[in-house]
Amino acid sequence: MKRDLAMAFSRVTEGAALAGYKWLGRGDKNAADGAAVEAMRILLNQTEIDGQVVIGEGEIDDAPMLYIGETVGMGGEEVDIAVDPIEGTRMTAMGQSNALAVLAAGEKGSFLKAPDMYMEKLVVGPGAKGCIDLNKPLKQNLENIAKALNKTLDTLVVITLAKPRHDEVIAQIQAMGVRVFAIPDGDVAASILTCMPESEVDVMYGIGGAPEGVISAAVIRSLDGDMHGRLLPRHHVKGDSEENRIHGADELNRCKKMGVEANRVLTMEEMAKSDNVIFSATGITKGDLLDGVTRQGHIATTETLLIRGRCQTIRRIKSTHYLERKDPQVRELVL
Ligand code: VTB
């Protein structure tokens, strides 16, 4: 992929973040997501690519924009695009930290096509690469990771989502003497923190969205970390009610159609098949990974993490936006 595309993709997540920010703290997840999706689509269509969305907002029937299979771009290099216009719609709607606008682009066939179901995820940074195995008990994994990092268990830090489904595992990790940081939402940012040298976080473990799991795999591969994932039908996680069973059966059918297996451990390389990827994330609300959007009148600032997988260059781009000068389509969404 041409390296100049990286800058173009950073514009795309900046636009989505500014559009999502307009809805910050207004309690309306759908409005925030809708605005970010539209901004992303407009800006992707101004980019010199022959792009196809492979991870997006859902199937064409339930997603009018950035649906799986949609083609985007002005024409140019063929790329697959994985988007999450707002990773953390709840955080945006409720004004909580760590919400991001996220995009990963890669050469054709780079991303596993994961249905919208759950994924169990275990993520570590470069120091513990090759030491994880989701087929083994978590306790054993944490011991192996601590050993690789030359740490005692009481200095190891695991980040996870504070969800009832994790209550038991959190207690189990803490009983080992390991510290747990339980954040309300946002496991993509949490996964990236494992690879950031300045972060205290060593491990991300938990069950979250599968499409975001694949996006995480792409960025973790670019950062030379490691990740295992396991697709899980919702009813395995949420309990065996009639509704969950029907949902679960549907999810398993979609897995079959997409040629992926549920309940099997997937390696990072199976989820992110190439390191020829570009990853861009712009903070919407301030978090441990990125600053959020700030705005004074019609001037806004953003911070973007831009990573090229091939060379592992990590850029942090601070931008100042004069919102009134954006092109009319975007201006309407961000002002
Ligand atoms: C959340 C969110 C994650 O998946 O966990 C969501 O925090 C799914 O979980 O960042 P719920 O069904 O409990 O909402 C993510 O969006 C992505 O993995």
Side-chain angles (χ1 to χ4, degrees):
M1 240 183 322
K2 274 202 225 130
R3 51 163 65 80
D4 297 357
L5 281 177
M7 195 63 206
F9 290 132
S10 73
R11 285 182 70 231
V12 176
T13 56
E14 282 179 356
L18 290 168
Y21 177 83
K22 187 175 163 181
W23 294 91
L24 181 69
R26 301 208 178 280
D28 191 341
K29 287 200 297 190
N30 294 339
D33 199 42
V37 170
E38 206 176 334
M40 224 183 219
R41 186 183 193 229
I42 290 167
L43 291 161
L44 274 171
N45 281 326
Q46 295 175 3
T47 307
E48 284 178 12
I49 50 166
D50 196 345
Q52 182 162 37
V53 176
V54 293
I55 291 178
E57 292 289 290
E59 305 290 314
I60 182 164
D61 302 331
D62 47 45
M65 287 191 281
L66 297 181
Y67 57 84
I68 297 164
E70 182 172 346
T71 53
V72 288
M74 295 164 62
E77 200 173 335
E78 271 193 41
V79 291
D80 278 352
I81 307 277
V83 297
D84 194 1
I86 298 188
E87 157 62 358
T89 49
R90 207 171 0 223
M91 288 112 91
T92 307
M94 302 313 285
Q96 296 167 343
S97 51
N98 275 319
L100 307 175
V102 176
L103 177 149
E107 60 189 22
K108 280 264 145 209
S110 293
F111 306 108
L112 179 88
K113 292 179 182 168
D116 184 13
M117 59 197 294
Y118 277 146
M119 182 189 281
E120 184 184 7
K121 311 170 191 183
L122 177 59
V123 186
V124 290
K129 197 177 163 83
C131 300
I132 53 169
D133 185 353
L134 253 190
N135 283 311
K136 296 198 174 130
L138 184 62
K139 183 169 185 289
Q140 201 176 327
N141 274 291
L142 294 180
E143 284 164 356
N144 291 344
I145 294 164
K147 210 167 147 199
L149 297 176
N150 215 357
K151 281 189 154 193
T152 51
L153 285 173
D154 65 343
T155 58
L156 200 69
V157 174
V158 177
I159 195 164
T160 189
L161 301 173
K163 305 265 178 185
R165 60 178 175 270
H166 294 148
D167 285 353
E168 228 170 87
V169 85
I170 291 174
Q172 191 196 331
I173 300 169
Q174 287 170 333
M176 289 176 71
V178 173
R179 281 195 292 170
V180 177
F181 295 172
I183 56 168
D185 274 301
D187 63 12
V188 176
S191 299
I192 297 172
L193 285 177
T194 64
C195 293
M196 291 289 151
E198 67 275 15
S199 144
E200 274 188 278
V201 172
D202 300 303
V203 187
M204 200 300 287
Y205 174 77
I207 297 169
E212 295 88 343
V214 175
I215 295 180
S216 298
V219 57
I220 298 303
R221 183 169 174 170
S222 299
L223 292 169
D224 205 27
D226 207 353
M227 173 171 177
H228 275 187
R230 180 171 13 221
L231 295 171
L232 295 176
R234 279 190 173 79
H235 74 295
H236 278 193
V237 179
K238 286 193 162 174
D240 229 3
S241 71
E242 181 63 17
E243 196 195 337
N244 284 339
R245 261 205 302 277
I246 295 169
H247 250 306
D250 186 46
E251 287 166 354
L252 291 176
N253 271 337
R254 297 201 49 222
C255 281
K256 255 199 201 140
K257 271 202 346 217
M258 291 170 130
V260 289
E261 252 179 278
N263 302 312
R264 179 175 79 78
V265 173
L266 299 162
T267 63
M268 180 171 73
E269 292 77 12
E270 283 177 286
M271 294 186 275
K273 297 174 196 171
S274 157
D275 64 2
N276 192 8
V277 295
I278 294 169
F279 173 86
S280 180
T282 304
I284 302 172
T285 57
K286 188 173 168 50
D288 297 324
L289 187 66
L290 283 165
D291 276 338
V293 174
T294 64
R295 193 172 152 180
Q296 255 156 5
H298 291 164
I299 300 175
T301 65
T302 53
E303 188 183 23
T304 299
L305 185 69
L306 185 61
I307 301 165
R308 274 190 70 227
R310 270 281 150 86
C311 55
Q312 215 186 318
T313 310
I314 305 170
R315 293 190 171 85
R316 280 174 185 274
I317 304 173
K318 285 263 190 194
S319 308
T320 305
H321 304 265
Y322 289 80
L323 301 177
E324 279 177 319
R325 296 203 179 194
K326 298 273 178 202
D327 73 54
Q329 274 178 301
V330 175
R331 193 190 313 144
E332 197 185 318
L333 291 166
V334 300
L335 253 186

